[in-house]
Amino acid sequence: AKCGGEEVISLVLDIDNDGSFSIQNKEIDRLIIGMKLMDGVSFDENMFRDDLAKCGGSVDEVIAMIKDMFDSGEAGEGEERCTGGRCTINIDEPENFFKKNRGSMTYD
């Protein structure tokens, strides 16, 4: 399976609109809302917030964490980074999800 999270990575970069390379406070809320708006994506919001807090909100760590969440949601076991592999993102039908969203989600 292709690593999920490309849409989320562009979302993270888009949300870091102050260019601080960290996701904090209101940016966390916007990230969670944006992820929830993606069809077929489900995750534990509270656990996700905890994991974000542990990462310290740095964009690199957040992206790595989200990639791991997608990987472990698909494969059942991902490389552990700062999440300790706790929160995972589940996608109902990964193939359809990525086909459908590749065309519709652009952040310019």
Side-chain angles (χ1 to χ4, degrees):
K2 180 174 99 41
C3 174
E6 282 171 30
E7 289 84 359
V8 180
I9 289 166
S10 51
L11 182 66
V12 170
L13 296 172
D14 195 43
I15 282 171
D16 179 37
N17 55 10
D18 58 0
S20 65
F21 292 102
S22 68
I23 302 293
Q24 290 159 335
N25 309 326
K26 295 237 180 330
E27 292 174 333
I28 292 174
D29 295 334
R30 290 205 303 270
L31 176 60
I32 288 172
I33 291 165
M35 286 170 62
K36 284 184 162 177
L37 290 174
M38 294 179 188
D39 285 344
V41 170
S42 60
F43 59 97
D44 182 320
E45 184 179 328
N46 293 329
M47 201 181 280
F48 184 69
R49 282 180 189 275
D50 287 351
D51 290 346
L52 270 180
K54 285 195 189 104
C55 282
S58 103
V59 166
D60 288 347
E61 285 289 353
V62 170
I63 288 172
M65 178 186 105
I66 290 171
K67 276 185 171 172
D68 285 351
M69 287 165 63
F70 269 103
D71 289 346
S72 50
E74 283 174 23
E77 193 177 318
E79 236 181 273
E80 293 190 359
R81 275 209 180 74
C82 66
T83 60
R86 290 177 12 155
C87 187
T88 59
I89 294 175
N90 296 307
I91 302 168
D92 297 344
E93 298 170 28
E95 294 74 25
N96 296 345
F97 172 77
F98 292 115
K99 259 187 231 124
K100 188 169 60 192
N101 283 306
R102 191 168 290 125
S104 65
M105 294 187 75
T106 51
Y107 295 95
D108 296 305

